[in-house]
């Protein structure tokens, strides 16, 4: 069966360190992968998209990698700040009869400690 | 630009009652989605629409119905609510349903079914 896993339910790191979040998938062959941020009581907000032929994508302090052989994406936040504390979701594209939908992972709750 | 709005923000229902959740977007998006989010399970797609007058089933459609009579509105109905439908419901929209499209999410509706 198809499955998306995100490394751990919660991750605590010290301010200034690099946070690394993992998204692993099985029985999917996504061509695209997205990362979203979700704050408590709010809807997810898009952060980055990476294509299968892109090994790495960067946006300011964010970096995403996509390894289709390992079936894994890594999401890095460098020089982390308490304001980065949130839940981060990965989403894979899935083709169905009507087009493309995204399937979301369960999320990792990141806490950056001052 | 309000983006994606959802009504109501919170609702308590008794088992067997019915209700309709309203989603509205002012971005002229073609695609609209309804998700539910439960602890540890991530976002799961209930129904979606690829344009005015169309609807399609997602991963967990049972117990829900939808309608897209106007392009800017997407309604989610619960005909006979069950405790298993206690969840947070998110509406989202995107310009088209392609893999490169960002989904814009509403703030969510918290539903408690007693």
């Amino acid at each position: 069966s198809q499955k998306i896993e995100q490394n751990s339910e919660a991750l605590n790191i010290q301010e200034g360190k690099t946070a690394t979040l993992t998204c692993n998938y099985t029985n999917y062959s996504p061509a695209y992968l997205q990362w979203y941020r979700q704050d408590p009581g709010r809807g997810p907000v898009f952060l980055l998209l990476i294509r299968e032929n892109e090994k790495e994508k960067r946006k300011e302090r964010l970096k995403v990698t996509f390894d289709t052989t390992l079936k894994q994406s890594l999401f890095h936040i460098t020089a982390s700040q308490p304001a980065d504390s949130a839940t981060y979701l990965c989403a894979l594209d899935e083709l169905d009869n009507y087009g493309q939908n995204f399937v979301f992972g369960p999320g990792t709750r990141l806490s950056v400690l001052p | 630009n309000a983006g994606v709005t959802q009504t109501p923000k919170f609702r308590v229902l008794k088992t067997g009652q019915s209700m309709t959740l309203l989603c509205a977007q002012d971005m002229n998006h073609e695609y609209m989605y309804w998700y539910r989010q439960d602890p540890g399970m991530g976002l799961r797609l209930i129904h979606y629409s690829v344009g005015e007058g169309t609807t399609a089933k997602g991963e967990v459609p049972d117990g829900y119905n939808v309608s897209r009579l106007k392009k800017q509105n997407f309604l989610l109905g619960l005909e006979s609510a069950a405790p298993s439908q206690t969840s947070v419901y998110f509406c989202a929209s995107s310009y088209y349903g392609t893999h490169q499209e960002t989904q814009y999410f509403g703030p969510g509706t918290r539903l408690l079914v007693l």
Side-chain angles (χ1 to χ4, degrees), chain A residues 32 34 38 46 51 96 100, chain B residues 37 48 97 99-102:
Chain A
Y32 301 84
Q34 296 184 343
Q38 186 175 21
F46 171 78
R51 298 171 178 78
D96 66 16
Q100 219 125 3
Chain B
Q37 187 173 41
Y48 65 102
H99 41 257
Q100 299 188 60
E101 287 293 330
T102 302

Side-chain angles (χ1 to χ4, degrees), chain B residues 6-84:
Chain B
Q6 293 183 231
T7 310
K9 288 185 170 52
F10 177 69
R11 184 77 183 266
V12 179
L13 286 180
K14 293 182 180 177
T15 297
Q17 287 185 318
S18 63
M19 77 163 294
T20 300
L21 283 67
L22 171 63
C23 175
Q25 53 94 5
D26 61 1
M27 296 174 282
N28 201 34
H29 284 172
E30 292 292 335
Y31 278 58
M32 296 187 75
Y33 312 81
W34 275 108
Y35 293 91
R36 60 177 290 173
Q37 187 173 41
D38 302 292
M41 300 193 73
L43 288 159
R44 291 183 292 169
L45 184 64
I46 304 171
H47 286 281
Y48 65 102
S49 168
V50 304
E52 183 179 319
T54 74
T55 62
K57 293 180 181 180
E59 180 188 354
V60 288
D62 294 341
Y64 306 95
N65 56 75
V66 288
S67 64
R68 183 99 180 268
L69 299 179
K70 292 183 179 180
K71 185 177 183 178
Q72 62 267 35
N73 295 337
F74 196 28
L75 281 68
L76 178 71
L78 286 73
E79 288 184 351
S80 179
S84 61

